[in-house]
């Protein structure tokens, strides 16, 4: 699982100017992702957060080529995925796998989960049935599922957390270097969420995997991520190492998201007025310039006329804002 075909100085994943748009009738388009760029190193975990509808899943699916993006580049280990032919893409797929939000519906309901875990090996034409089953059982043990008990069960005979363990086992069968996890714990209750996040962290250490970990809120990605990216209506507005993003958010949108994270403090009352005033603009007709400007207290003419580019304000800390927060004390 460690960087076959590794190219010198090339990150494992490079996403450049990625655009995802959907036709919406009458000549209109949904601007789901509008020019997002970032890199992910081998073994690194990048958390990706943003409000519902900001384009996280569209970005994840475009990376997976499910389907390919409207425009932009996705390079895995230096290899362009958006233009590669379908046969080679199928071969490359073993190196990047995805885990979906809804663990139950992402599995075949009528198939024993052990067989679902074997399926990627079957699709690749690898190994005979005995070896496939042996490896599936081994992987079940690795994700904390007793194969004697669970191999023959169907998804509806497992809990949500157990189904997500099955999905993780299935994704690991091809020996991927990159795991794209699209809200892998959002459908689970809080106690199970922590177990699945810990399992992913353990798997990352054991197999040296890189993970793109998508979540709704900043609390979920905090303990697992090396860096965190924040998306606002199709734009990446801030990317920073975990500690500097949480200690000193620079984009007013990140600060607002952080302020909205519930705190385990009985004396703390979140502001009643709401932290993100105003309507979330439509991705059918996003604002000009900065996509957060219609809800931002620092909004001015420059924000409306010029889209802020991501720029480095501290080592590894990038922000796309004309009026970054340093010293303003948040929103
Ligand atoms: N197949 C599609 N056709 C048309 N519009 C789509 C399609 N998929 C997504 N969209 C739209 O693109 C925008 C981004 O959706 P996306 O699912 O990527 O957001 P998200 O950040 O993953 O949201 P959530 O946190 O709710 O999962 C939304 O406005 C959504 O309605
Ligand atoms: Mg989504």
């Amino acid at each position: 699982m460690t960087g076959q075909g590794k190219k010198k100085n090339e990150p494992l994943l490079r996403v450049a100017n990625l655009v995802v748009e959907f036709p919406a009738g009458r000549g209109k388009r949904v601007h789901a992702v509008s020019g997002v760029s970032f890199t992910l190193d081998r073994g690194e975990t990048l958390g990706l957060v943003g409000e519902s509808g900001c384009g996280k899943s569209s970005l994840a699916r475009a990376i997976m080529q499910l389907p390919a993006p409207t425009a932009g580049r996705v390079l895995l280990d230096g290899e362009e995925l958006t233009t590669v032919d379908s046969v080679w893409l199928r071969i490359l797929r073993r190196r990047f796998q995805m885990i979906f939000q809804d663990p139950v519906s992402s599995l075949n309901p009528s198939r024993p989960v052990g067989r679902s875990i074997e399926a990627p090996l079957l699709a690749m034409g690898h190994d005979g049935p005995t070896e496939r089953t042996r490896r599936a059982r081994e992987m079940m043990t690795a994700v904390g599922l007793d194969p004697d008990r669970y191999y023959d069960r169907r998804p509806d005979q497992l809990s949500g957390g157990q189904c997500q363990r099955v999905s993780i086992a299935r994704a690991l069968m091809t020996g991927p270097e990159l795991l794209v996890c699209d809200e892998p714990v959002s459908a689970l209750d809080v106690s199970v969420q922590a177990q699945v996040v810990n399992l992913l962290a353990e798997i990352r250490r054991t197999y040296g995997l890189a993970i793109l970990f998508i979540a709704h809120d900043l609390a979920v990605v905090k303990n697992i991520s090396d860096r965190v990216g924040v998306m606002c209506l199709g734009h990446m507005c801030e990317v920073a190492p975990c500690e500097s993003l949480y200690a000193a958010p620079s984009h007013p949108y990140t600060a607002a998201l952080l302020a909205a994270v519930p705190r385990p403090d009985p004396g703390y009352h979140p502001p009643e007025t709401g932290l993100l005033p105003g309507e979330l603009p439509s991705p059918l007709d996003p604002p000009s310039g900065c996509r957060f400007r219609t809800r931002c207290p620092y909004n001015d003419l420059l924000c409306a006329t010029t889209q802020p580019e991501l720029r480095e304000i501290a080592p590894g800390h990038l922000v796309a804002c004309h009026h970054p927060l340093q010293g303003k004390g948040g929103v």
Side-chain angles (χ1 to χ4, degrees), residues 52-53 55-58 61 101 182-183 214 216:
S52 184
K56 304 179 297 294
S57 296
S58 303
R61 285 195 295 266
Q101 175 170 348
D182 187 7
E183 305 217 32
I214 296 173
H216 260 97

Side-chain angles (χ1 to χ4, degrees), residues 279-290:
E279 292 260 307
L280 179 67
S282 164
L284 276 172
D285 188 19
S288 61
C290 174

Side-chain angles (χ1 to χ4, degrees), residues 20-24 29-33 48-61 67 101 182-183 186 214-216 231 233-234 281-284:
V20 180
E21 292 178 356
F22 302 102
R29 297 182 76 73
V30 178
H31 299 264
V33 181
L48 185 68
V49 298
E51 288 165 288
S52 184
C54 73
K56 304 179 297 294
S57 296
S58 303
L59 174 64
R61 285 195 295 266
Q101 175 170 348
D182 187 7
E183 305 217 32
S186 299
I214 296 173
H216 260 97
M231 274 184 80
L233 210 65
S282 164
L284 276 172

Side-chain angles (χ1 to χ4, degrees), residues 10 33 43 58 63 84 92 94 142-143 148 158 209 241 259 272 308 326:
E10 188 58 32
V33 181
S58 303
I63 291 170
V84 85
L92 285 175
R94 74 188 62 171
V143 299
D148 290 337
L158 265 61
L209 278 176
E272 282 172 15
Q326 301 123 326

